[in-house]
Amino acid sequence: MEFLTGNLDLLMFATLCAGIMFGFPVVFTLSGIGILFGILGFSLGVFNMNLLAALAQRIFSIMTNEILLAIPLFVLMGVILERSRIAEDLLEEMGKLFGSLRGGLAVSVILVGMLLAASTGIVGATVVTMALIAMPTMLRNGYSRPLSSGIIASAGTLGQIIPPSTMLIILAEVMSSGYQQAQFTMGRFTVETISVGDIFAAALIPGLCLVVIYILFVLALAFLRPKSAPAIPHGEELPLATVLRHLGKVLVPPVVLIVAVLGSILGGIATPTEAAAVGAVGALLLAGPRFAPTRSNLPFLLSGISVVAMLVMTSQLDLRIGRVNATTAERIGIWIAFGLTLLTFWGILVALWRAARVGVLRPVLVSTTSVTSMIFAMMIGASVFSLVFRGLGGDLRVEHFLTNMPGGEIGALLFVMAVIFVMGFFLDFVEISVIVLPIVVPILLVMGMDPIWLAVLIAMNLQTSFLTPPFGFSLFYLRGAAPPEVKTIEIYRGVIPFVILQILGIGVIFMWPGLATWLPALLR
């Protein structure tokens, strides 16, 4: 009995792993095991049931967290853009520009994946879209099936490391909580915290570095093994100016949206939640003309100009209403902003009406609600589990283990990164983020690690969970959308080099922390 009471936390974690491996829904497994072991610990006299009194407050704080409100808005933005078929046009025009090069079609897929990552951030939609459009073209032009599979799956996962990303929002919330907990442990009472904007800025350059690594790998492979990634045979050639003009038509709208969303966050004009709202509205205005191409696009043009104008005005003037000390310029600006808001509202209504007429609005809302509910339910279930796990002394055991690791803080970091990587074979990023990170992050920060640098290392590690078999989500998405002749084993073989490239990317950030910390420090 003494052995059982002294190791109840370990038994709890082992039971969680077993439940997940047997295929039980993770949300119910987390909360169910938490409640069962809380009752068991109370009956054995090693758990204080009064700790569960904090559960209601934890759930309330999750549901009312203003930062987490950005998640459904970014999801809505991504789903709308996916339904508007912007990816198809981007792939077609990029293929015309780079297709005549060896590996050029693969480079086009990676670049489109980067653009979709910065504008949608939804892995499943990106992988499925590119599998349906790009993979048949790649196979038809002689690309090997494993390479085609690896390129599409890895390009689709860029949406998790390149902001805006739901993974980065969740990670920012975990890092902020862990940072405050670490400061309290070290006796430093400060209001300084880790914001979503900091994590977005920190992940931007590493994400682009990963794109460069992918492209260099593809070009090198095409040079060494030309048959695996040949150039597209010349068909009817269009003048370069014509290709660039067509590319600009499909490239400018998503780029403007990316600049508006990320620029407003990184420039300090808007909070992540406000920028997410701008992104959702912008995506709706971009998609509106595609839902009814024969009708006038004037409402969307005026609304888009209005949104950009209000962002510019917000950066120059204080447009908060109800202030008695507002200057004359600010009062005029408030009235102008009111008129611009009406124009924006007009474009939104027209876009919603067109989306409803073509049957797109309902699937968009259902998909957004499903994804958002899954994420928040996971966070609530993890709160139940972590509360009981800490009450049983699990956090103290983990802290003792990590602080006594050979190699000091580097040894502890390498061990945690290895655990996250291995767990990525069986769990997705949400589960790892809400189960493991709240326990280990405060311990690593107390050891003196830079929280921004640590967050980027963890984010790039979590990204591999989409590619590692047998449960990598990108592999499931690709398997469902790939042509029948592409075998599952070929998909697995194709992603292995890109998993290695991601590990290489983690090594680059580990060796040069400035790639992650320079931009956040510059923007502060």
Side-chain angles (χ1 to χ4, degrees):
M1 185 63 70
E2 183 178 349
F3 177 81
L4 177 63
T5 56
N7 296 280
L8 205 57
D9 53 338
L10 293 179
L11 181 60
M12 181 181 182
F13 190 78
T15 305
L16 173 66
C17 294
I20 293 173
M21 291 297 294
F22 277 110
F24 292 109
V26 177
V27 173
F28 302 123
T29 302
L30 283 169
S31 53
I33 289 176
I35 294 171
L36 288 176
F37 273 83
I39 295 173
L40 179 59
F42 175 73
S43 64
L44 295 175
V46 294
F47 180 74
N48 185 358
M49 291 295 284
N50 290 331
L51 288 174
L52 293 180
L55 185 59
Q57 183 60 38
R58 281 193 172 199
I59 295 175
F60 182 78
S61 64
I62 291 173
M63 302 307 296
T64 57
N65 191 318
E66 183 179 347
I67 299 300
L68 296 180
L69 184 61
I71 292 177
L73 292 171
F74 277 130
V75 172
L76 178 63
M77 168 181 157
V79 175
I80 291 174
L81 289 177
E82 184 261 330
R83 297 278 178 168
S84 66
R85 306 179 71 84
I86 289 177
E88 288 90 329
D89 293 342
L90 283 173
L91 279 169
E92 181 180 350
E93 299 302 330
M94 285 283 190
K96 293 176 182 177
L97 185 62
F98 295 105
S100 58
L101 303 173
R102 284 183 186 173
L105 187 56
V107 172
S108 301
V109 171
I110 294 171
L111 291 176
V112 171
M114 177 191 71
L115 291 171
L116 294 178
S119 56
T120 67
I122 298 181
V123 169
T126 305
V127 172
V128 171
T129 299
M130 291 197 295
L132 292 173
I133 303 165
M135 181 168 277
T137 304
M138 296 175 79
L139 298 180
R140 189 168 56 249
N141 286 280
Y143 275 69
S144 72
R145 286 182 284 196
L147 179 61
S148 302
S149 302
I151 290 170
I152 290 174
S154 57
T157 62
L158 290 171
Q160 294 306 307
I161 190 63
I162 296 179
S165 158
T166 54
M167 183 182 80
L168 295 179
I169 295 173
I170 295 173
L171 184 59
E173 183 65 20
V174 172
M175 294 300 300
S176 176
S177 176
Y179 181 75
Q180 292 174 348
Q181 185 177 338
Q183 295 295 302
F184 180 78
T185 301
M186 293 185 291
R188 301 174 185 171
F189 302 98
T190 175
V191 296
E192 185 181 355
T193 186
I194 307 300
S195 68
V196 175
D198 291 333
I199 302 300
F200 277 9
L204 185 58
I205 294 177
L208 296 178
C209 288
L210 194 58
V211 172
V212 173
I213 290 173
Y214 285 171
I215 292 176
L216 292 177
F217 169 76
V218 168
L219 293 178
L221 186 64
F223 177 77
L224 297 174
R225 294 167 53 190
K227 291 184 179 180
S228 64
I232 297 178
H234 293 288
E236 182 182 350
E237 296 239 4
L238 294 175
L240 180 60
T242 303
V243 174
L244 292 177
R245 186 170 62 252
H246 291 169
L247 179 61
K249 288 182 180 179
V250 298
L251 188 61
V252 169
V255 168
V256 170
L257 182 62
I258 293 168
V259 171
V261 174
L262 287 183
S264 60
I265 295 175
L266 301 181
I269 300 174
T271 66
T273 304
E274 294 166 344
V278 171
V281 170
L284 193 60
L285 296 178
L286 287 180
R290 293 172 173 267
F291 296 147
T294 59
R295 293 179 176 270
S296 172
N297 295 327
L298 181 62
F300 312 117
L301 179 61
L302 294 178
S303 296
I305 294 174
S306 299
V307 171
V308 174
M310 284 190 285
L311 287 174
V312 173
M313 290 174 60
T314 303
S315 66
Q316 302 297 323
L317 298 172
D318 187 346
L319 300 181
R320 291 175 297 170
I321 61 176
R323 295 182 300 117
V324 296
N325 58 343
T327 64
T328 302
E330 289 171 342
R331 293 181 186 277
I332 294 174
I334 290 172
W335 281 107
I336 293 175
F338 177 73
L340 295 175
T341 301
L342 292 179
L343 284 176
T344 304
F345 190 61
W346 176 40
I348 293 173
L349 286 179
V350 175
L352 290 174
W353 178 73
R354 291 189 183 182
R357 284 199 62 182
V358 297
V360 170
L361 183 59
R362 180 181 176 84
V364 164
L365 296 179
V366 169
S367 179
T368 302
T369 304
S370 299
V371 174
T372 305
S373 300
M374 180 272 291
I375 293 174
F376 277 83
M378 197 80 70
M379 297 180 74
I380 292 173
S383 292
V384 178
F385 180 88
S386 64
L387 193 63
V388 176
F389 186 75
R390 291 176 185 274
L392 294 174
D395 57 333
L396 298 178
R397 186 188 295 272
V398 174
E399 180 180 3
H400 176 76
F401 180 79
L402 291 180
T403 52
N404 289 279
M405 284 284 296
E409 65 179 48
I410 299 300
L413 174 62
L414 293 177
F415 177 79
V416 169
M417 294 293 284
V419 169
I420 293 174
F421 179 76
V422 172
M423 294 187 73
F425 283 78
F426 310 101
L427 304 176
D428 71 0
F429 77 91
V430 179
E431 296 157 2
I432 299 174
S433 298
V434 299
I435 298 173
V436 179
L437 297 188
I439 299 172
V440 300
V441 163
I443 301 170
L444 295 176
L445 294 181
V446 168
M447 292 180 176
M449 295 183 188
D450 186 292
I452 299 296
W453 174 65
L454 178 61
V456 174
L457 287 176
I458 292 174
M460 296 190 73
N461 199 347
L462 289 173
Q463 187 188 0
T464 64
S465 67
F466 285 87
L467 295 178
T468 47
F471 298 124
F473 276 8
S474 289
L475 307 181
F476 288 141
Y477 296 136
L478 183 56
R479 175 64 279 170
E485 63 268 21
V486 178
K487 300 177 181 178
T488 302
I489 190 64
E490 291 176 325
I491 295 177
Y492 286 176
R493 282 172 47 204
V495 299
I496 289 174
F498 291 92
V499 172
I500 296 173
L501 291 177
Q502 288 191 346
I503 296 174
L504 175 63
I506 295 173
V508 170
I509 304 303
F510 180 84
M511 296 300 298
W512 291 283
L515 292 172
T517 58
W518 173 76
L519 187 56
L522 180 66
L523 296 175
R524 282 185 174 179

